[in-house]
Amino acid sequence: MTVERVSAPTPAAFVDAANAAFRNGAVLSVQARCEVEYNGRTSGYLGDGDRLLVAKPDGTFLVHQPTGHKPVNWMPGGGTVEARTSQGDAVLLARRSNPTERVETRLHEVYGVTRFDAEDGATYEESGTEAEMHEYIEANPDALEAGLRIVEHERETKYGFIDFYAVDGDGTPVVIEVKRIQATLNHFDQLKRYVDRYAETNDDVRGMLVAPSASERVTRALRDNGLEFVALAEFGLDAKGATEAKLTDF
Amino acid sequence: MFKAIVSADTLQETLDSVSVLVDECKIHLDDDTLSIRAVDPASVGMVDLDLAATAFESYEADGGLIGVNLSRLEDIAGMADAGQLIQLELDEETRKLHIQIDGLEYTLALIDPDSIRQEPDIPDLDLPAHVAIEGRDIDRAVTAADMVSDHIALGVDTGDDLFYVNAEGDTDDVHLELAPDQLIDLDAGDAHSLFSLDYLKDMNKAIPTTAEVELELGDEFPIKLHFDIADAQGHVTYMLAPRIQSN
């Protein structure tokens, strides 16, 4: 069975169920009245109250109060969680060694415990990242121009990494710079530097800036310098028609 | 080795200007300067702070690096009255910071600097517009904008030689224009960028109202805000990434 639930177990039954779950790599969630003590980089104490405790097979341990999105105490993955009885109570002890930290949860009353033999192979992918645009372009160079062929992804040059080095249908080299936000004049400058570098040894080099969008000013600057702009609008902008830039975009 | 005595006001001012962005930070303890550089988890806001040894009553350091939990250190600093002195001493052996305030001793466990988010590289930007403005005018603009919107546009009108602030809400708008005679200085250049008020509000909290704040602005570029703290013995630079608008 994927999910097994025990209501109001005795401390001994709880400890058996919890340790069996840890042994078998299951996710354990516990609804209990408990107190929590933390010792490590600092120390802290949380008095008696109803909490949701979650222990994951990677050693992650979370103590949730009935409100708030953040756990009030937690231990990141990499450590161990074990259950034992002490002075008549069930105790969950999560600890790790670097830095030395421990979260000890004394369960005065266990209302319920759920063991979940979960399987999940997926990873979260944030949409609209530059890496995602790169992947898309690598798989669909035709989206930029029919007949375009990618020669190299992230080619290193004296002036930094060129996102893509490609050749067009006529065999002319194309230097491609990709941006996840609306193209700025800074991005234009960057592309121009790369293209100038290639033009030193090759007369017929094209430069292409790829971004969700570009302002008039940027498209004009590109055009005046013999460079091109390709919009990949599907990677742009939230519902408000704007996107939060990061300092690393500049 | 690190041993220093500092006034509570100076320490609080220093910690406040960093804690508006991050919960934990690395502190560099060089022989003539204490410095902190940190970026918020979303990489939208950054702080770069220097506090000269002369800002302290006494200061001895030899290039150490410590990691601290800022809210904890702020709480301790908050135990001191204004003007009271706080004594700080690093125990290299136990990696703890001993803090003394008039007989009160607090031992603060430090955080392994390697477990703290990496310090940011400061983007090298040549921003066209420079504005020198009083801290209270920033406070006025941010407070008013916050009443109507969660974003604020800052820009320079090169034609009319003006620094302006715009906030557009669903129903109400806020607009503020400052001419050169209302500013400390204006070096006009094309600039218009939209910023998240959440961040700017937090940064504004750390800017003294009497401070002279230097702004560097561009067209859909990050803004830089420079100001002094601790009687000009300390210097803070904030950098904030813009929100990029579609056409």
Side-chain angles (χ1 to χ4, degrees):
Chain A
M1 226 186 334
T2 312
V3 172
E4 279 174 56
R5 178 164 172 85
V6 185
S7 287
T10 63
F14 170 79
V15 168
D16 285 350
N19 283 329
F22 299 151
R23 258 197 317 278
N24 301 329
V27 179
L28 193 78
S29 51
V30 185
Q31 302 80 39
R33 181 168 60 78
C34 60
E35 57 183 326
V36 185
E37 217 178 312
Y38 166 78
N39 273 295
R41 301 186 292 185
T42 57
S43 61
Y45 171 74
L46 178 68
D48 228 17
D50 284 347
R51 319 264 147 70
L52 170 67
L53 313 173
V54 180
K56 300 185 183 182
D58 64 350
T60 300
F61 182 65
L62 310 171
V63 180
H64 274 284
Q65 288 185 295
T67 57
H69 74 285
K70 268 176 145 179
V72 59
N73 273 107
W74 70 91
M75 193 69 88
T80 55
V81 187
E82 59 180 301
R84 59 168 106 135
T85 50
S86 152
Q87 296 163 358
D89 290 323
V91 169
L92 276 176
L93 177 63
R95 58 183 158 182
R96 61 175 180 152
S97 54
N98 186 25
T100 307
E101 286 185 300
R102 50 186 279 149
V103 173
E104 187 176 315
T105 313
R106 181 166 287 271
L107 296 86
H108 295 300
E109 185 175 357
V110 181
Y111 307 115
V113 54
T114 305
R115 170 193 171 142
F116 180 17
D117 289 274
E119 279 180 35
D120 185 354
T123 51
Y124 177 68
E125 283 175 23
E126 200 183 341
S127 59
T129 63
E130 199 161 305
E132 203 180 83
M133 287 181 77
H134 283 210
E135 264 173 43
Y136 175 78
I137 291 166
E138 208 164 12
N140 310 284
D142 280 350
L144 303 187
E145 183 179 291
L148 195 76
R149 192 166 58 79
I150 303 294
V151 178
E152 202 174 337
H153 182 202
E154 295 186 337
R155 169 178 284 205
E156 193 174 1
T157 73
K158 212 163 86 181
Y159 298 110
F161 279 92
I162 288 181
D163 287 337
F164 288 101
Y165 180 72
V167 289
D168 67 13
D170 301 328
T172 307
V174 188
V175 169
I176 303 173
E177 183 60 31
V178 182
K179 294 292 166 194
R180 63 170 273 277
I181 57 173
Q182 183 181 21
T184 65
L185 283 175
N186 217 30
H187 302 151
F188 152 74
D189 284 339
Q190 195 184 350
L191 176 68
K192 188 166 180 312
R193 275 201 308 279
Y194 293 153
V195 171
D196 288 349
R197 170 88 185 124
Y198 271 85
E200 286 171 14
T201 52
N202 194 333
D203 287 343
D204 288 333
V205 62
R206 296 171 53 197
M208 192 183 274
L209 187 61
V210 181
S213 60
S215 67
E216 271 292 299
R217 244 156 28 106
V218 172
T219 43
R220 202 180 322 123
L222 287 164
R223 200 171 50 232
D224 291 351
N225 285 274
L227 303 172
E228 297 151 54
F229 176 74
V230 175
L232 281 184
E234 54 269 50
F235 286 96
L237 314 181
D238 61 17
K240 283 184 178 165
T243 185
E244 212 75 65
K246 293 177 191 298
L247 287 169
T248 46
D249 290 327
F250 295 89
Chain B
M1 189 263 298
F2 171 64
K3 199 173 172 182
I5 300 175
V6 63
S7 80
D9 310 312
T10 300
L11 184 61
Q12 283 163 3
E13 217 181 351
T14 304
L15 299 175
D16 287 350
S17 53
V18 181
S19 68
V20 296
L21 282 178
V22 293
D23 300 331
E24 298 177 344
C25 73
K26 298 182 204 185
I27 303 182
H28 295 266
L29 304 164
D30 296 324
D31 50 11
D32 56 355
T33 323
L34 176 154
S35 62
I36 300 171
R37 191 191 285 181
V39 63
D40 86 293
S43 285
V44 174
M46 198 182 90
V47 58
D48 186 16
L49 175 145
D50 285 320
L51 190 63
T54 48
F56 295 78
E57 303 298 314
S58 79
Y59 181 92
E60 289 172 72
D62 58 2
L65 176 66
I66 57 172
V68 300
N69 178 321
L70 278 169
S71 56
R72 206 162 276 268
L73 191 50
E74 272 186 311
D75 287 348
I76 305 160
M79 294 289 296
D81 297 327
Q84 215 169 10
L85 293 178
I86 300 179
Q87 196 176 326
L88 306 166
E89 185 169 1
L90 174 66
D91 184 335
E92 308 261 8
E93 203 82 328
T94 57
R95 297 302 294 171
K96 289 188 180 188
L97 189 66
H98 294 286
I99 303 160
Q100 278 199 46
I101 307 167
D102 190 25
L104 174 72
E105 280 181 44
Y106 192 108
T107 306
L108 177 73
L110 296 171
I111 305 171
D112 178 0
D114 291 340
S115 70
I116 297 175
R117 196 168 42 250
Q118 228 189 337
E119 291 167 302
D121 289 326
I122 299 178
D124 183 19
L125 302 175
D126 188 14
L127 299 165
H130 293 248
V131 179
I133 183 173
E134 278 189 53
R136 68 167 56 80
D137 282 326
I138 295 184
D139 184 49
R140 210 153 67 95
V142 167
T143 306
D146 189 39
M147 294 172 188
V148 301
S149 179
D150 51 4
H151 289 95
I152 185 171
L154 303 179
V156 171
D157 186 330
T158 45
D160 292 336
D161 218 23
L162 285 173
F163 169 66
Y164 65 83
V165 176
N166 258 336
E168 289 175 18
D170 292 332
T171 53
D172 303 348
D173 297 338
V174 164
H175 188 70
L176 173 70
E177 278 180 2
L178 294 171
D181 63 331
Q182 295 163 292
L183 296 163
I184 299 163
D185 194 24
L186 175 68
D187 186 1
D190 268 332
H192 178 93
S193 302
L194 192 66
F195 299 98
S196 152
L197 263 173
D198 279 345
Y199 282 90
L200 216 51
K201 255 171 19 192
D202 284 344
M203 291 176 174
N204 175 49
K205 277 185 215 153
I207 300 175
T209 49
T210 54
E212 174 177 333
V213 184
E214 262 194 77
L215 310 179
E216 290 182 59
L217 286 159
D219 204 12
E220 300 212 316
F221 261 97
I223 183 174
K224 283 189 185 182
L225 302 97
H226 310 274
F227 58 96
D228 288 338
I229 55 168
D231 294 327
Q233 302 303 306
H235 188 78
V236 178
T237 295
Y238 283 131
M239 193 184 282
L240 178 62
R243 212 173 145 82
I244 306 288
Q245 284 172 291
S246 61
N247 291 321

